[in-house]
Amino acid sequence: MSMLKALDAAAQTALDMTAARNATAVDIPSLRDYLHGGADNWQRREEIVRVLSADPAFSKAGRDNMSRSQLFMRGQAMTRRLHELQNELGWSDDDLRRSLSILDETLPLTLHFQAFEPVFNLQAGPELAAEYGPLIATRGILGCYLQTELAHGTAVSALETTATYDPVTREFELHSPSLTAAKWWIGAAGRTATHGVVQAQLVLSGGKRMGPHLFFVQLRSLEDHRPMRGVVLGDQGPKAMGGFAATDNGFVRFEHVRIPLKNMLSRFAQVTEAGEYVRPPHDKLAYGGMLYIRSGMVTGAGMMTAKAITIAIRYATVRRQGTPGSDGLEPQVISYPAVNGRLLPILARAYVFLRLGKSLSSLFADTAARLASGDTSLLAELHATTAGLKVFATTTSIADIETARRSAGGHGFSAASGMGRLYAEWVPSATYEGDNYVLDQQVVRAALKAYRALKPGAKGLPPSSAYLQRLSDGASPPSGFVISSLDGLTSEPSPLVVLLEWRAALVVRELHSAGEVTGMEAARAARAVTDAFVAARVADMAREVEKDGVRKEDAVVVRTLFALYLLASAEAALPDLLVYGLLRGTQEVAALRRAVATTCAALVPHAIGLTDAFGFSNWELDSALGVYDGRVYEALWDRAQREPLNEKEVTDAYGESIKWVLQNGQRRAAEAQRNAKL
């Protein structure tokens, strides 16, 4: 019989969390400012979190048991309260946008800010902008972006909705010529939006089609919110896994709806009163709004991944399981290589996505400013970059959130973990703003175009194709790559960048030689190209950590995290690295895998500090497994006590169903016994 004293596992969790925080030497405020773009940004965010978390309108209690209709109404009430707070506290629109990003569910208002308003501001002509710009800015009208149709989504050129110009009345007639032309998946269109920006095929006199263009249209009356004449619209129903429940993704059909000439978004492409077409300076300018949304999705991926990995690492730190040691304690789950080897690379990707997202947003802002003056020189680069990063960030983060959830074992399947909600809210990102498989093709087309234009000795290639410099320089691929020192990786990660750039260059060269690109090859090539691009950016981040305000001691830890990112990227690329001889044989593969494992182990003592640096409050995470104090079992118990099914000691289902089933079974058993005696 064991003489070890019985342990209180629930109390031990708090002790383990405190010990984990004491074990890390990283300075949380320094890293927090680094991740949030400076102390001012963090402090403003923290102030807004404090306001929202204390306001009953944003209480999350019981929402897991609400119906879709209840969640939609709750979302509308939150939207109203946000605007009331803006009036009461003098919030700027940036504060309002920040509050929306802090909430962990997508509200219809989000689509106004993320799609409708930026597209309008980027594309509207002076007259239309003067008339509606102020109303859009103050939410005097609420908007949506109507692009996807029932039968067409990413293939914008194939959209069926038409906008036919009538030079007699100087109007466009918007029309949905078939059921499949119905606009579908339009966020906020179902019940909320009053106006929208519509992608429709421009048709001029004689039936001449000029391709998809943007038009501004009123959907509902500002008097009573009823649909305008000829506009048929509604909510399309619940989404998979209960995701986006507060948002009214809807359908819209136009039955010969007439709008004035000025309602064409005509900053670039135009139609004269006589019906003559004025071409834009660049044929992709109409997609500027989509590029804006994509540019923000890397940051979104970072935030969603950061939440999931914070929950998973906190739980893995306090969850004990296995053979007890001499102290009578089972090992902490985070100590197992099979666990930290899955979780620490996810943590590294969260850091990379958050930092990368900030630079991408800056690139879009620069491009938008140039477009306003007619300069389209950065548009192709932005398109290639955002397409690749959108695919990479969303595909990776969706998988990472699910990996984080599964690392929590059975408790990860509970809604109380909070990770199922994260997954449901983020998984559609793989298809909206461009289906990832289709975008892979666009990335490959851009890569092949850059390859064909490559000249020997070319210098100054743009970042999206900088990996081709390896071929331009005329050097031969390295014949084998041995990882011998973790210190060398943390101080100068460029060897891994070289490895991933050579892989991308060789994949693209092979595709060019093949002459035909299959879907699977496109996905492989797009990933290789994007891996090379991101790896170069990560090397830059590693060199500039201290310049970005991180103290010297913490910079070492952050560089180790970035080194893990590069190592994990190389490990995921092993098939290509072996095929092209960039790694040779089992020894080099084993060395790479050892480096991954060693780096993960080195980061385990800092894992809680690195996740604390994201700055999430308990209210933001809304997770029993991710509570700051580590008392996960008490949090799970408390949530179970609030389950509505537990309000009555005997459920109503007993009298309605359970009792009959029991009595029926008892009767049949008695009959079987009697028959057996005969």
Side-chain angles (χ1 to χ4, degrees), residues 153-207:
T154 304
V156 178
S157 61
L159 296 176
E160 297 181 62
T161 303
T162 56
T164 304
Y165 182 64
D166 182 351
V168 176
T169 61
R170 297 175 185 172
E171 293 175 317
F172 292 101
E173 183 181 84
L174 282 174
H175 184 58
S176 306
S178 65
L179 175 67
T180 54
K183 295 297 181 181
W184 204 265
W185 281 114
I186 311 305
R191 300 283 98 183
T192 305
T194 61
H195 292 70
V197 170
V198 182
Q199 278 272 18
Q201 298 286 352
L202 172 61
V203 183
L204 300 180
S205 59

Side-chain angles (χ1 to χ4, degrees), residues 16-29 31 313 317 344 347 351 551 553-558 561 602-613 628:
D16 287 337
M17 186 61 75
T18 299
R21 287 205 170 90
N22 291 337
T24 181
V26 297
D27 181 59
I28 303 301
L31 290 184
I313 285 178
T317 297
L344 272 300
L347 177 60
Y351 267 65
R551 64 176 192 166
E553 307 92 296
D554 299 331
V556 174
V557 178
V558 175
L561 198 62
L603 287 166
V604 167
H606 304 292
I608 287 297
L610 290 168
T611 52
D612 281 353
Y628 183 82

